[in-house]
Amino acid sequence: MTVCQCRLCLQTAERRDSHYVPRGMYKRVRKSDPASSNTIAYNKKIALYTAEQASDYLLCRKCEDRFNEGGEKWMMENCAQPDGSFPLRTNVLACPIIRQIPDLTVYATSGSAQIDHNKLAFFAASVFWRGGAHTWHLVQDHRPLPLGPVLEELRRYLLGETDLPPDISIMIAT
């Protein structure tokens, strides 16, 4: 472990081995399809299967816990499950349809008590922030996502200092 500045809270602390996507999701993907139990690493020249997980020393324990409680734990409970169920998808499909066109159905999820929109938004924002805040060696040809000033807005949102930036929308596709 490394003692230096946490990339989220900017405090000097012991950094933990942080994952780009939660460690439990890597395990879930591997268990769901043993025939192709590896993730895909890619860059501009090649794509390949690997058992390696995109991780690096990025966050302190407090910020790791913040991500877990903020949305990762909820997502793990509501994403596709080993028994074949998919609570989030089931709950979205139970919502009223707003619009339906070929290959796209839009649901009004705001009234659903089963969908925790705050945790869902937090989780999505944390993944985008991680993609922009760090160079993950398994993805993006070794470059962070080009988020510009949104990166700092997301960082402040994830710390609870501000609301989700108003020009950011989150859409779920199944």
Side-chain angles (χ1 to χ4, degrees), residues 8-142:
L8 184 65
C9 69
L10 306 180
Q11 300 297 310
T12 300
E14 186 177 283
R15 283 204 227 172
R16 315 298 290 178
D17 187 17
S18 305
H19 287 75
Y20 187 21
V21 176
R23 181 181 319 177
M25 287 195 176
Y26 283 105
K27 290 178 185 177
R28 184 76 50 85
V29 168
R30 287 193 176 110
K31 286 182 182 177
S32 70
D33 186 6
S36 62
S37 62
N38 293 318
T39 54
I40 298 173
Y42 67 92
N43 62 32
K44 287 181 181 178
K45 296 179 182 178
I46 190 169
L48 53 96
Y49 286 108
T50 179
E52 193 174 353
Q53 299 176 7
S55 70
D56 204 350
Y57 291 89
L58 185 70
L59 304 172
C60 67
R61 177 183 296 280
K62 185 176 178 182
C63 289
E64 282 285 345
D65 291 344
R66 178 189 319 272
F67 279 7
N68 185 42
E69 292 303 316
E72 288 179 358
K73 183 177 171 183
W74 185 87
M75 280 302 298
M76 288 302 299
E77 293 167 356
N78 288 279
C79 69
Q81 302 296 308
D83 66 4
S85 65
F86 194 156
L88 179 56
R89 185 176 192 279
T90 299
N91 291 323
V92 167
L93 294 176
C95 293
I97 294 173
I98 296 174
R99 183 172 177 145
Q100 195 162 18
I101 57 176
D103 299 322
L104 178 69
T105 303
V106 180
Y107 296 88
T109 65
S110 61
S112 174
Q114 288 75 33
I115 300 173
D116 190 328
H117 295 86
N118 291 327
K119 293 209 183 277
L120 186 57
F122 189 94
F123 174 75
S126 77
V127 173
F128 278 102
W129 177 82
R130 284 179 260 206
H134 188 68
T135 301
W136 299 93
H137 68 282
L138 291 180
V139 293
Q140 307 155 26
D141 203 27
H142 303 279

Side-chain angles (χ1 to χ4, degrees), residues 131-132 144-148:
L145 292 173
L147 298 178

